[in-house]
Structure formats: C-alpha cells, structure tokens
C-alpha cells in the first residue's frame, strides 16, 4: 500500500496509471495483468543474485520451503551462469585442482 503526500492511501487504479506512465516513459514493458506483482519477482531475483539463501528468501516473501514459485522467481540467467563458472574456476585455481 502506498500513500499520497497527505498520508491517504493511493487507490489501486491511480497506482496502476502512474506505473503505466512510468513504464512508457522509461521503455520498460508494462504487464497489464499483474503490474505491481512484477516488483515481487524483481525483488526475489535481486535477493537471489545478492547471494541470499533460498530459505531466507522464502521466509521474506511468505513461501514454504521448496516452493515451486520461489524456484521460478529465482531462475538462473546468463549473468548468474557466468558468475557460477567464474567462482568455480577461481575455487579450482586456489585449491590447485
């Protein structure tokens, strides 16, 4: 829930209109079916990229352990795959494996 400058709740339609305008002005795709829910996905993805444990992420967003939804939110992207390779290569180098 968001409040306006006077402390009153912003109505859902007004929030969506503002979000739609911001997306249009910045070139970010607007998801008309669940516009605000995209923030949840982004937050979970950023927590995962930061190295936060899956358990901590699940607790933060209210999911149960091993939740299919959490696994979907934290799917690997190209950057994470490359980081994983680099981290493992450095580990092997340090351990002289």
């Amino acid at each position: 829930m968001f409040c306006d400058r006077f402390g009153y709740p912003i109505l859902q339609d007004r929030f969506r209109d503002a979000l739609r305008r911001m997306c249009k002005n910045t070139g970010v795709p607007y998801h008309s079916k669940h516009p605000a829910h995209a923030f949840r996905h982004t937050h979970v993805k950023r927590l995962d990229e930061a190295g936060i444990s899956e358990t901590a992420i699940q607790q933060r967003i209210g999911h149960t352990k091993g939740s299919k939804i959490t696994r979907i939110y934290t799917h690997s992207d190209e950057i994470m795959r490359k980081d994983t390779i680099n981290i493992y290569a450095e580990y092997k180098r340090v351990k002289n494996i």
Side-chain angles (χ1 to χ4, degrees), residues 4-15:
D4 65 15
R5 64 181 180 208
F6 304 108
Y8 294 104
I10 295 176
L11 300 175
Q12 188 175 22
D13 289 341
R14 292 188 68 202
F15 175 79

Side-chain angles (χ1 to χ4, degrees), residues 29-80:
Y30 177 78
H31 302 281
S32 59
K33 189 172 180 183
H34 303 289
H37 196 72
F39 290 116
R40 181 179 174 95
H41 289 258
T42 301
H43 181 61
V44 169
K45 182 70 175 159
R46 296 297 178 248
L47 290 172
D48 185 54
E49 289 173 351
I52 306 300
S53 73
E54 184 177 346
T55 301
I57 293 171
Q58 289 166 341
Q59 289 173 345
R60 182 169 179 87
I61 64 173
H63 284 186
T64 59
K65 186 175 182 180
S67 166
K68 177 182 176 185
I69 299 299
T70 305
R71 288 193 303 274
I72 291 169
Y73 283 180
T74 58
H75 66 280
S76 293
D77 60 15
E78 188 61 28
I79 293 170
M80 289 180 69

